[in-house]
Amino acid sequence: MTVEPTPITVFTGFLGAGKTSLILSLLKQLPPKYKIAILKNEYGDVKIDSALATETNGNLAGVTEMLNGCLCCVLTGQMRAAVVEIQEKYHPDRILIETSGSAFPAAISIQLRELSKEFGIGSSGPGIRLDGVVNVIDVENFDGYADTSKTASLQAQFTDLIVFNKWEDVPGRQFETVWDKVNDLNTDTPKIKSNRGTIPWEAILGMDSKLSLDLLHQKEHYHDHSHNHAHDDSHTSEIETLTVRFPKTLLDGSELAAFFRYLTVAPKDEIYRMKFIIRLPASKLPLFELGSDEVQTYILNWAFGRYDFTPISNETAQALLDDSLAGVGTVMVGRGDGRMFRKRFSKGIVGIAEVELS
């Protein structure tokens, strides 16, 4: 009996473009017995998105996170081990790879093509195949980050499907401008608009990545390009990451109010993303002043001035948040801004937070 290789779909897109939300919306559309495993790559050292994914859908086989680096360069040697572990542990019907905001998709596609050939030679497992690469575009903020991130433009060029996300609330002219810019980068690739962060599950199935085939035919060219990219300062220097820990005694009173006020005014052209796990009474949350005083744990997600709080179960929270802490998370800023924001978070915004610069 022939065992079909496990299809892999790769999601790329700049920080805050909506990759995680798009993947979570896809999980909700799964047929009952279709199992998905997620390999997530993120800067920082806090496994926040695993909590969201784990509580989203019973069809999720498992989540593996590769932290503190970029999958296409710093962590390139670890992807093989991660894929093997996922297949042996979860036996999924499909693997979704969510890359970091500055990952170079061509390099990842080459790695997956090499792994597919390696696993196909004398392998007792099902093997893998790259089914497609999906690039998520944040229409509302594309003009800003495309100008500052070379990789954002490359992500739009090396993909099998482009998803225009967060377009509903922008003026029609702005959407047309972004569409034209993306079309100039990549004319032939199919493009669709999400519906409030959702696309049909069928849109990512059976793409049989033309990108991966093209890369295979032009392997020498792209191998040189991706190798240089992995050592290119412009890639590795785009992001600096702060790990922020809030002592249990901190998130109360004036310090808590000051932190939440900062969420509304934080500079979206300097801070790319904030993700936190925070434990506190609902009555302390912004816009929820009449909430219960019962302590609950929340995921705080901030991107480009927008933020939300998502409650998670106590069981999930215990695995992510130390009892000595009221909150922990990552703040991703532009290169050269890390020291400035370390000072702001440790002395200005919340006063006594413990802040590490990666």
Side-chain angles (χ1 to χ4, degrees):
M1 185 178 85
T2 302
V3 179
E4 292 294 324
T6 305
I8 295 180
T9 307
V10 178
F11 290 81
T12 70
F14 196 67
L15 291 162
K19 300 185 295 296
T20 301
S21 297
L22 189 71
I23 289 173
L24 296 182
S25 75
L26 289 168
L27 293 179
K28 295 176 182 178
Q29 303 174 43
L30 288 171
K33 295 183 179 180
Y34 196 86
K35 294 295 182 182
I36 293 289
I38 298 175
L39 172 58
K40 180 174 175 57
N41 175 215
E42 187 61 274
Y43 287 101
D45 57 5
V46 185
K47 297 183 177 182
I48 294 176
D49 286 335
S50 291
L52 286 175
T54 301
E55 298 199 349
T56 296
N57 190 278
N59 296 71
L60 182 65
V63 181
T64 297
E65 292 205 55
M66 298 175 65
L67 305 175
N68 289 315
C70 180
L71 192 62
C72 68
C73 50
V74 179
L75 302 177
T76 179
Q78 300 180 29
M79 185 161 68
R80 181 191 184 281
V83 171
V84 170
E85 179 185 1
I86 285 172
Q87 288 198 302
E88 292 179 349
K89 186 175 181 179
Y90 302 121
H91 307 289
D93 295 298
R94 179 176 293 266
I95 298 173
L96 305 183
I97 296 180
E98 181 183 348
T99 65
S100 70
S102 62
F104 186 51
I108 294 172
S109 297
I110 290 173
Q111 291 181 61
L112 291 173
R113 291 296 299 189
E114 294 298 320
L115 287 178
S116 68
K117 290 192 296 182
E118 177 188 342
F119 291 170
I121 301 175
S123 174
S124 59
I128 63 168
R129 66 176 177 86
L130 175 60
D131 190 30
V133 178
V134 179
N135 178 229
V136 184
I137 298 289
D138 175 358
V139 173
E140 185 174 359
N141 299 289
F142 182 78
D143 282 343
Y145 68 70
D147 292 338
T148 59
S149 171
K150 295 180 181 179
T151 312
S153 296
L154 291 172
Q155 289 170 345
Q157 295 176 52
F158 296 91
T159 186
D160 298 296
L161 177 68
I162 294 174
V163 178
F164 288 95
N165 202 28
K166 303 182 184 180
W167 61 271
E168 292 90 346
D169 298 325
V170 305
R173 181 59 187 161
Q174 180 178 343
F175 175 76
E176 292 173 5
T177 299
V178 173
W179 180 283
D180 290 341
K181 285 186 176 181
V182 174
N183 209 46
D184 287 341
L185 293 170
N186 191 335
T187 303
D188 299 327
T189 293
K191 304 170 182 67
I192 63 173
K193 294 158 67 176
S194 71
N195 180 13
R196 298 290 176 184
T198 299
I199 61 173
W201 173 251
E202 292 77 11
I204 72 165
L205 299 178
M207 287 188 281
D208 195 20
S209 182
K210 292 185 176 65
L211 170 64
S212 65
L213 293 177
D214 290 343
L215 287 170
L216 192 62
H217 294 151
Q218 306 176 53
K219 178 180 175 182
E220 183 176 349
H221 168 72
Y222 284 115
H223 183 271
D224 291 342
H225 192 165
S226 62
H227 177 78
N228 291 335
H229 165 77
H231 298 85
D232 183 356
D233 235 16
S234 65
H235 167 67
T236 57
S237 65
E238 284 186 353
I239 304 294
E240 287 188 0
T241 303
L242 302 168
T243 299
V244 181
R245 296 179 178 86
F246 296 142
K248 206 168 196 176
T249 57
L250 173 63
L251 287 185
D252 196 7
S254 60
E255 288 110 344
L256 178 63
F259 176 61
F260 288 152
R261 280 197 302 270
Y262 185 71
L263 296 177
T264 66
V265 299
K268 65 180 184 179
D269 56 337
E270 296 178 359
I271 297 180
Y272 294 133
R273 195 74 187 269
M274 288 190 277
K275 295 182 181 181
F276 281 87
I277 304 169
I278 296 180
R279 182 188 292 131
L280 74 167
S283 59
K284 297 291 185 180
L285 291 174
L287 307 180
F288 292 93
E289 290 85 354
L290 300 179
S292 168
D293 285 331
E294 181 181 356
V295 174
Q296 173 67 38
T297 307
Y298 300 86
I299 300 293
L300 163 61
N301 229 323
W302 184 100
F304 295 106
R306 294 184 176 183
Y307 64 93
D308 56 61
F309 292 87
T310 303
I312 61 174
S313 68
N314 290 331
E315 181 180 357
T316 302
Q318 287 173 0
L320 299 172
L321 190 59
D322 187 279
D323 286 341
S324 66
L325 297 174
V328 61
T330 56
V331 179
M332 286 157 269
V333 300
R335 190 67 175 181
D337 292 337
R339 292 184 180 275
M340 174 180 66
F341 281 100
R342 179 182 180 182
K343 183 176 180 180
R344 288 187 187 179
F345 274 89
S346 61
K347 296 183 179 179
I349 297 170
V350 290
I352 58 171
E354 177 189 336
V355 185
E356 296 177 2
L357 175 60
S358 300

